Amino acid sequence: MALLATLLVIASVYAANHQVRSNYLANLRLQTAERLSLKATRLTGEISSLVSLVEGLGATVAQEPDISAQTFNARADDLLRHTDIVKSLALARDLKIQIVYPLEKNEDALGLNYKDHPNQLTVIKKALTTKSAMVDGPIDLVQGGAALLVFVPLYTSDTANAWGLMSAIIDLERLFSESNWIADTSDLTVGVAVQNPDGSRGRAVYGNPDAFSGLPVEQTISFAETQWTIAARPASGWKEPTRRIIERNVIIDGTGLIIILAIWGIVFLMRERGRNLDVLKDREKKLKSLSERMRIALQASKIGVWEFNVETHDMFWDNRMREIYEVPDGADLPDLNEWASRLHPEDREREMENISRSIEDKKDFQSTFRIIREDGSVRFIRVLGSSYFEPNQGQNLIGVNADVTQDMQLQEDLRQSNIEANRRNQALQDAHKRLKHTALHDTLTGIPNRKFLEDAFVTGFEPSSLEPPYAALHIDLDRFKEINDTLGHAGGDAMLRHVARMLTSLSVPGDFIARVGGDEFVIVTHWDGNDEEMSRRAKAIITALSKPFHYASHQCRVSASVGIAWSDEVSASAMRDTLVNASIAVAEAKKAGRARSIIFNATLKTAAINTKRLADEILAGLENDEFFAFYQPQITARSHQLAGVEALVRWNHPEHGILSPAAFITTAETIGAIARIDSAVLKHASRQHQIWRENNVNVPRIAVNLSAQRLSDETLIKAIQEHKFEPGVLSFEFVESISFDEPDAKIDEIAEQIRAMGIDIEIDDFGTGYASITSLLSLSPKRLKVDRQLVQPVTTDPRQRRLVGSIVEIGRSLGIEIIAEGVETIEQVEILERLGCDIFQGYLFSKPMPGDQLAQFAQEKPWLRLFQDQLH
């Protein structure tokens, strides 16, 4: 009900405010309309009187058709002497102005023909027709400002037709000024606008154009053929003044607020009374509940409550206290001394002192003591007590006893568990140290491993006693594989332990020695700028490791290559570069002949950078499809026809143009990109074969190289199937450097799958690698390619001819075609043809060429001229 009453008050306040605002706006619009009507009436009267004045002059002039300019000026002067609003007069005969008053500043009006002004001519004709004065305008004057035109037809009393026309210009600015139009409307925004013929409001001719916006009061005035719209609105707008709003709100809203506050004050008092009653009831319930919970809690917790009067020595125990001290119900409670006799002898004196101190100091107390029960068992009791005074009773002690025997036993168990946990934690720490040592040390030699090296000098995860800056000696054993091959892994392990001992014996205090690979070690030492000392230490290492090492009944010898690098900077990146540079230097030492040391220099750095850059460019080139194929034709020995082509990889380098494999193949093998290059060549060969077919270019077969990396690619078979070569068109050249003699079921399986798809297998570079007759029988190749190293000397070396002849005989006996590679002279063709080679390939016929050039080559057959010349 209070809320409903509040809503009614608010609604009433809102309605009252709305009604007052509406009344204010209505009164304000009414006042504005009344003032505007008065202004309109005054303006209409002013204009009408001016028109009548002009008509009077016109009536006088009309009786003198032959009036002279001097007479007209005199009469006009009499007219204009009484007003400045009529700006000028003009007399026209046959609608052409002949007299103007005043002439000054109006000379341009002489000779003006109204027939040339259609807008004014309409009004003039109407004045002539009606024989009455007509008003036109407002018009813009040439000399500035706006004006009304009054046209008065001139008739004599005895003629029916007008003999002339008199016009007058009424200055609007002076009209409004002299009529005090603005003087008494300073609090209004007033504007006057002409109406268009269609009734719409036209341009403003006087006042403020803004008067027509913001819901103004408007009034239309008409005279002759001209209609104007007068608009007015308060300069401050239609909004109620802030002061008035404040006063109204103070009265109306204040009254409403007082009523609302009174309503809610009554409600508050009523609710407060009810709430106080509820609180009292709730407190009673809580008190009962608390007492019950206290009883239940004491019973459940088995805490005994006691009270002792210091003055009377009266004692109070509850049932739980009797249970703790084994005092039956109904039996007398023990006095203080009897209670003390139940305490453990070791605790008795201390507890009596505690009670005496509590009585004397009148402070709270607590302690834990032991009691001995009748069965001889010991129980731990915790006491909490407090001193208080009660009127007429004196000082009292009140407190509780709790049997905490289990808690004390638990604490003892926890203490023992903590001792055991500390022991186990120590064991875990010892194990962690052992695991960390294992993780950071080589299990075979016992010296630090690569992780320890990086943690100590690169990541900083492990401390190092070595003072920076650092130098690194990278030691790589030479011919270590021979030790493993001859003495087994046990002999190799013994050699590695021997090397670790030797390096340790050759180190100086503070040196860090680590095994970083199978047969690679690194020594990090302090760099003092003495490069000769580094070279001397490397030489000493090489000399020491070259001495014989006795294992079983064998004398083992190995040599070592050492790479040296250092850095004057002290940073993780500098140390990482130092280790990398040392590995680059040792690789260069092994290339240079082994058993030597090389110091890393700018040349090696440049080479390493170039190799890295080339590797990055190769990978980017694969991503950008820059690798494609050139094609070298193969010619049959007997029919001299195109037998096929070999697809040879080329790289369209974005900076260096077309590159042959010699520029990038070694680096590609190092980074494992050969398989992807083979895949790119196969893709381009497939695409080019399709183009040749569409252009009717007959290329019977395309041979594509297949590297060892590509051979082990699990996606090889799927990629071949996607290209959809017809059977017999595609052949794969297996590089003979792949060791086919090692039994490899996977190679045999892949070869079988390739043959099942109608793809021939060829062995490339035969005679220079590892292939044997056994491997030929296993792979069942379709063709063998005799390496150019064997083909070149056949014209000069009989032994080479016999060797090539033997290869041809082997192939013929196994049903394998022989391709001679690297043919460059017609003499080689003649000899190889006699030896029985089936196909020729080489610069004699053509260098490798793009696919479109190969198409032209296949159609024009320029190689036939070589055989024709041979016949002649």
Side-chain angles (χ1 to χ4, degrees):
M1 291 181 65
L3 182 61
L4 179 61
T6 300
L7 293 175
L8 289 174
V9 172
I10 293 174
S12 300
V13 169
Y14 176 80
N17 278 319
H18 179 72
Q19 186 62 43
V20 171
R21 283 196 300 269
S22 299
N23 293 341
Y24 172 81
L25 180 61
N27 291 334
L28 184 60
R29 292 189 69 86
L30 179 60
Q31 293 173 9
T32 303
E34 291 175 351
R35 295 174 65 186
L36 186 64
S37 176
L38 181 62
K39 286 292 181 183
T41 302
R42 184 185 300 170
L43 179 62
T44 303
E46 288 285 347
I47 295 175
S48 298
S49 63
L50 290 172
V51 171
S52 298
L53 185 65
V54 173
E55 280 185 312
L57 177 62
T60 303
V61 173
Q63 302 306 316
E64 300 180 62
D66 298 325
I67 191 170
S68 64
Q70 184 176 3
T71 304
F72 181 81
N73 290 340
R75 294 183 179 176
D77 186 60
D78 291 338
L79 173 67
L80 299 183
R81 184 182 306 150
H82 303 288
T83 180
D84 292 335
I85 299 176
V86 179
K87 196 168 186 178
S88 65
L89 297 170
L91 180 65
R93 291 187 175 89
D94 194 20
L95 300 183
K96 189 173 183 180
I97 295 177
Q98 296 177 348
I99 302 173
V100 177
Y101 176 84
L103 182 61
E104 183 180 357
K105 297 182 180 179
N106 293 306
E107 296 88 345
D108 294 339
L110 291 174
L112 185 145
N113 194 336
Y114 286 119
K115 295 178 181 179
D116 297 333
H117 296 274
N119 293 334
Q120 298 177 10
L121 187 60
T122 302
V123 179
I124 293 171
K125 288 182 178 180
K126 197 166 186 178
L128 295 174
T129 302
T130 61
K131 297 183 180 181
S132 62
M134 298 298 295
V135 180
D136 188 21
I139 63 171
D140 294 325
L141 298 175
V142 175
Q143 58 271 36
L148 293 178
L149 290 179
V150 180
F151 296 103
V152 179
L154 302 178
Y155 293 87
T156 59
S157 57
D158 55 352
T159 60
N161 295 323
W163 61 265
L165 181 72
M166 188 183 74
S167 62
I169 296 177
I170 298 175
D171 191 332
L172 287 180
E173 187 70 29
R174 291 182 181 177
L175 173 65
F176 285 109
S177 176
E178 293 191 8
S179 63
N180 293 323
W181 178 264
I182 298 300
D184 54 354
T185 57
S186 59
D187 58 337
L188 296 178
T189 299
V190 182
V192 181
V194 63
Q195 284 191 1
N196 295 323
D198 59 358
S200 62
R201 185 176 69 247
R203 66 187 180 91
V205 297
Y206 189 76
N208 192 339
D210 293 339
F212 294 94
S213 60
L215 301 175
V217 175
E218 295 184 352
Q219 185 169 345
T220 302
I221 61 175
S222 302
F223 46 87
E225 293 298 313
T226 302
Q227 287 189 331
W228 289 356
T229 298
I230 304 176
R233 61 179 177 83
S236 58
W238 297 107
K239 292 183 179 180
E240 189 176 0
T242 303
R243 181 181 58 79
R244 179 182 174 88
I245 293 174
I246 294 174
E247 292 176 352
R248 171 169 50 79
N249 286 341
V250 168
I251 295 173
I252 299 178
D253 296 355
T255 303
L257 181 61
I258 291 172
I259 297 173
I260 291 172
L261 290 176
I263 292 172
W264 285 102
I266 295 171
V267 171
F268 174 78
L269 293 175
M270 294 178 65
R271 293 192 64 182
E272 189 65 23
R273 177 177 176 276
R275 185 161 45 249
N276 290 335
L277 293 175
D278 292 339
V279 169
L280 290 175
K281 293 179 181 178
D282 186 58
R283 285 179 179 177
E284 290 180 1
K285 291 181 180 179
K286 287 182 178 180
L287 184 58
K288 292 180 180 180
S289 177
L290 181 61
S291 299
E292 182 64 17
R293 287 200 299 271
M294 179 65 73
R295 185 187 65 79
I296 295 173
L298 289 174
Q299 184 177 353
S301 63
K302 298 182 180 181
I303 293 176
V305 178
W306 57 267
E307 186 174 0
F308 175 70
N309 188 289
V310 177
E311 305 295 336
T312 64
H313 288 196
D314 291 338
M315 185 82 73
F316 166 78
W317 283 7
D318 68 356
N319 292 335
R320 178 57 184 162
M321 283 291 291
R322 290 177 177 269
E323 291 177 8
I324 293 174
Y325 290 95
E326 297 180 307
V327 176
D329 289 341
D332 294 335
L333 294 175
D335 58 21
L336 191 60
N337 292 328
E338 290 177 352
W339 170 80
S341 65
R342 297 171 182 263
L343 271 58
H344 193 284
E346 296 179 359
D347 300 340
R348 189 176 301 153
E349 183 177 356
R350 186 188 71 238
E351 288 306 308
M352 294 302 291
E353 290 179 356
N354 288 339
I355 293 175
S356 299
R357 189 180 306 110
S358 177
I359 294 173
E360 181 179 353
D361 296 341
K362 301 178 178 60
K363 293 182 178 179
D364 297 344
F365 65 94
Q366 63 177 346
S367 66
T368 302
F369 54 86
R370 291 167 291 176
I371 64 172
I372 300 176
R373 305 186 70 169
E374 292 182 357
D375 60 1
S377 62
V378 177
R379 309 295 292 179
F380 287 85
I381 306 299
R382 180 166 296 155
V383 61
L384 298 173
S386 180
S387 174
Y388 77 97
F389 282 89
E390 188 173 350
N392 302 322
Q393 291 188 6
Q395 185 179 4
N396 287 269
L397 295 181
I398 188 170
V400 295
N401 276 190
D403 189 339
V404 293
T405 304
Q406 292 183 351
D407 293 343
M408 298 302 292
Q409 185 60 47
L410 180 60
Q411 290 183 15
E412 179 62 20
D413 293 341
L414 288 175
R415 189 180 67 83
Q416 294 297 330
S417 298
N418 187 48
I419 295 173
E420 179 64 18
N422 290 336
R423 186 186 64 78
R424 292 184 179 182
N425 185 51
Q426 185 62 43
L428 287 174
Q429 291 180 1
D430 295 340
H432 175 72
K433 290 179 181 179
R434 290 193 297 272
L435 289 174
K436 182 177 180 181
H437 184 274
T438 302
L440 297 178
H441 289 78
D442 177 39
T443 56
L444 178 63
T445 62
I447 63 175
N449 57 15
R450 179 183 291 276
K451 186 178 187 316
F452 198 170
L453 175 68
E454 292 180 351
D455 286 353
F457 297 101
V458 177
T459 63
F461 292 158
E462 294 295 333
S464 171
S465 60
L466 194 61
E467 290 294 328
Y470 308 113
L473 289 83
H474 194 123
I475 300 100
D476 191 342
L477 302 183
D478 302 328
R479 300 192 304 277
F480 177 71
K481 185 176 182 300
E482 297 176 6
I483 299 295
N484 275 333
D485 292 343
T486 56
L487 301 181
H489 290 293
D493 292 346
M495 173 59 74
L496 292 173
R497 286 191 290 268
H498 166 71
V499 171
R501 288 193 298 271
M502 293 297 295
L503 295 178
T504 302
S505 66
L506 294 171
S507 65
V508 299
D511 281 358
F512 187 94
I513 305 172
R515 181 187 176 202
V516 296
D519 58 351
E520 297 181 54
F521 298 81
V522 169
I523 297 176
V524 179
T525 186
H526 174 68
W527 168 240
D528 59 1
N530 190 344
D531 54 346
E532 294 182 359
E533 175 62 19
M534 291 296 104
S535 297
R536 186 195 63 76
R537 290 192 62 180
K539 185 176 181 181
I541 292 172
I542 295 171
T543 302
L545 295 182
S546 65
K547 294 178 180 179
F549 164 65
H550 297 279
Y551 175 74
S553 59
H554 302 278
Q555 279 193 348
C556 308
R557 292 178 181 271
V558 294
S559 61
S561 300
V562 181
I564 306 169
W566 56 76
S567 175
D568 293 327
E569 298 182 19
V570 181
S571 65
S573 60
M575 189 57 195
R576 185 183 293 108
D577 293 342
T578 299
L579 295 173
V580 171
N581 294 342
S583 66
I584 294 172
V586 76
E588 192 66 22
K590 295 180 78 70
K591 290 180 184 178
R594 303 177 180 178
R596 64 185 64 201
S597 66
I598 287 183
I599 297 175
F600 183 81
N601 53 32
T603 302
L604 292 180
K605 184 175 183 179
T606 301
I609 292 174
N610 290 339
T611 301
K612 175 64 169 59
R613 182 187 298 113
L614 180 59
D616 293 340
E617 290 177 349
I618 289 173
L619 296 176
L622 288 168
E623 294 292 335
N624 299 328
D625 197 24
E626 296 172 1
F627 289 88
F628 64 105
F630 269 18
Y631 304 91
Q632 189 171 28
Q634 298 173 339
I635 308 301
T636 59
R638 295 174 182 80
S639 63
H640 303 160
Q641 297 301 312
L642 181 66
V645 296
E646 180 183 3
L648 300 168
V649 66
R650 293 294 185 269
W651 182 9
N652 186 13
H653 194 283
E655 295 181 8
H656 306 302
I658 306 300
L659 300 180
S660 66
F664 59 84
I665 205 68
T666 301
T667 303
E669 289 175 345
T670 303
I671 62 175
I674 291 297
R676 294 178 63 186
I677 293 176
D678 288 350
S679 176
V681 173
L682 179 62
K683 179 183 69 175
H684 280 273
S686 172
R687 189 182 304 163
Q688 186 61 59
H689 177 66
Q690 185 66 28
I691 295 173
W692 286 334
R693 286 187 56 188
E694 293 173 355
N695 295 325
N696 296 320
V697 177
N698 183 24
V699 178
R701 187 182 71 257
I702 301 177
V704 178
N705 289 323
L706 192 67
S707 64
Q709 292 181 11
R710 182 62 167 160
L711 192 61
S712 60
D713 188 353
E714 296 181 355
T715 64
L716 173 62
I717 300 302
K718 183 179 179 181
I720 297 173
Q721 293 172 343
E722 290 176 353
H723 292 301
K724 299 179 181 179
F725 281 97
E726 297 88 349
V729 172
L730 178 64
S731 63
F732 282 134
E733 293 187 5
F734 285 21
V735 181
E736 198 203 9
S737 58
I738 301 174
S739 181
F740 299 116
D741 287 343
E742 294 291 336
D744 192 335
K746 184 156 185 72
I747 292 179
D748 293 341
E749 179 185 352
I750 293 176
E752 183 61 33
Q753 291 178 350
I754 290 174
R755 284 193 296 271
M757 289 187 287
I759 299 172
D760 295 337
I761 295 177
E762 301 177 3
I763 303 298
D764 195 11
D765 299 336
F766 189 80
T768 62
Y770 307 102
S772 65
I773 301 300
T774 303
S775 67
L776 296 181
L777 293 173
S778 174
L779 289 173
S780 300
K782 182 73 173 180
R783 300 171 194 88
L784 293 180
K785 293 186 75 174
V786 181
D787 189 79
R788 60 182 293 109
Q789 297 180 24
L790 303 179
V791 170
Q792 291 293 318
V794 295
T795 58
T796 58
D797 191 342
R799 291 179 301 175
Q800 291 294 110
R801 285 198 296 272
R802 288 195 296 272
L803 177 57
V804 173
S806 299
I807 295 174
V808 173
E809 289 298 327
I810 292 172
R812 187 171 293 166
S813 64
L814 297 174
I816 300 173
E817 294 181 350
I818 305 299
I819 301 176
E821 191 177 32
V823 178
E824 297 182 357
T825 66
I826 197 65
E827 290 81 9
Q828 291 172 346
V829 170
E830 294 173 351
I831 294 173
L832 293 170
E833 204 168 20
R834 288 197 301 270
L835 292 175
C837 288
D838 300 294
I839 299 173
F840 303 133
Q841 178 180 343
Y843 282 6
L844 175 64
F845 306 104
S846 174
K847 293 181 178 180
M849 64 185 78
D852 53 349
Q853 295 183 18
L854 192 284
Q856 183 179 358
F857 179 87
Q859 292 173 341
E860 296 178 356
K861 302 181 178 181
W863 70 87
L864 293 178
R865 291 194 295 272
L866 296 172
F867 293 103
Q868 291 173 358
D869 294 341
Q870 181 186 13
L871 294 175
H872 292 308

